[in-house]
Amino acid sequence: MSQSIPAAQLRTQIANILHMAGSEHAEAEQVAANLVMANLSGHDSHGVGMVPRYVDAVLEGGLSPNTGVKVRLDTGPLLNLDGQRGYGQITGVQAMQMGIERAKQHGVCTVALSRSHHLGRIGHFAEMAVAQGLVSVHFVNVLSRPVVAPFGGGDGRFGTNPCCIGVPMGSRPPFVLDFATSRVAQGKMRVAYNKGEEVPNGYLIDEKGHPTNKPGVVVVPQSNGLFGALMTFGEHKGFGMAMACELLGGALTGGGTWHREADDQRAVLNGMLTMIIDPVRLGTQDSFEKEALAFEDWLRQSPNAPGSEGVLMAGEPERKARADRELHGIWIDDTTWAEIQDAEAKLKNRH
Ligand code: NAD
């Protein structure tokens, strides 16, 4: 039955499953903590509901437990890292730790991370940088069944390619803009489908290219075996951003772009190009902070639009969700919970 689970309990349960799937305890705990943090942040699409897919990917050999990044090139301000199909929750953190260290040393660092398994919520990495007073920009591509249609196209050709920008705001909470370039994240369609909900106009096309409100078109094969597709946000502009993510996160990192028919592999590989900037080393720290805060104040003075609760800064909805879910627990729907239990049973039956 649907249930609200305290974050600590969920972390332990998920870590146990990941340990059964072959991860050493420390890795299992780190991946579980990252997934639960996505749930806490309000992004159930990138939370513990991913575990069944991760388990399948491990069993298929597409995801390698206990595997960190391999350094291909390290010039200081340039890092080229191979994620070697390890958990993105591990390789992404390693890439950021290395990039942050070098950005502090050189003022900037560009980190190309390729062949990482699913990196989860990209905002997690921006939060690492802003916590150190650094700006970070991330372009990510997704190598998995292509679920997003190009603007003007009638079928899925690429992934939900997220983009993220983190900006520290002095003593105030940071600006963390973290979004899929699809109108909505694919995982949110899985969540909506599992809950039996329809989605608003403009999110989806069906397998024939017609608009639809049924999230199932991108979750389960349709009558002719084909899938529908998500649309990009902002029409041609979102499509342009999605393509930039593929070019930078995929082609430039060395991880590769998607240009083939869909397969049914469960692994999801991400490429991520990250640029980290130290405002102190740039020499603008004082004016940067002053201007950033003045702009935030200015925005917050805008009168509420009719029916709106007022202006929010990117990162704020996630912080509000965390405060609420830390207190009241994380709500897991029946289907998601059943899938997690099936994944656990699959691992038990393997031995
Ligand atoms: P979303 O639409 O919920 O939010 C996107 C951003 O908008 C966030 O920064 C949020 O703080 C901000 N925001 C939300 N409401 C706001 C408001 N009223 N005013 C101002 N700002 C507001 O996010 P999404 O596009 O569904 O993406 C969800 C998550 O999925 C992200 O964490 C993303 O990194 C992740 N993702 C990961 C992959 C992958 O392959 N690893 C792929 C796609 C998406």
Side-chain angles (χ1 to χ4, degrees), residues 60-204:
E60 282 176 5
L63 163 57
S64 309
N66 313 313
T67 306
V69 298
K70 186 168 112 194
V71 180
R72 283 193 167 141
L73 173 137
D74 180 1
T75 68
L78 280 174
L79 271 176
N80 181 346
L81 306 173
D82 182 349
Q84 305 193 99
R85 290 182 169 267
Y87 275 102
Q89 290 82 358
I90 302 293
T91 58
V93 167
Q94 288 178 333
M96 287 306 294
Q97 283 168 339
M98 294 174 76
I100 286 169
E101 190 189 308
R102 282 153 186 76
K104 285 188 170 168
Q105 221 180 333
H106 304 283
V108 297
C109 184
T110 296
V111 189
L113 174 63
S114 59
R115 294 201 324 131
S116 184
H117 194 260
H118 191 236
L119 288 159
R121 196 177 64 88
I122 307 305
H124 187 84
F125 307 117
E127 284 162 5
M128 289 179 68
V130 295
Q132 304 278 324
L134 306 172
V135 170
S136 75
V137 182
H138 310 258
F139 294 94
V140 179
N141 84 326
V142 188
L143 297 177
S144 169
R145 180 168 63 83
V147 289
V148 186
F151 183 64
D155 67 357
R157 293 276 148 169
F158 50 86
T160 52
N161 294 5
C163 182
C164 177
I165 302 171
V167 180
M169 301 287 285
S171 56
R172 294 190 198 165
F175 170 89
V176 180
L177 176 65
D178 173 27
F179 60 94
T181 48
S182 49
R183 181 69 185 74
V184 68
Q186 155 79 1
K188 291 203 168 123
M189 297 299 90
R190 172 173 49 79
V191 173
Y193 175 71
N194 286 351
K195 288 184 183 165
E197 292 171 357
E198 293 216 327
V199 301
N201 293 337
Y203 283 26
L204 295 167

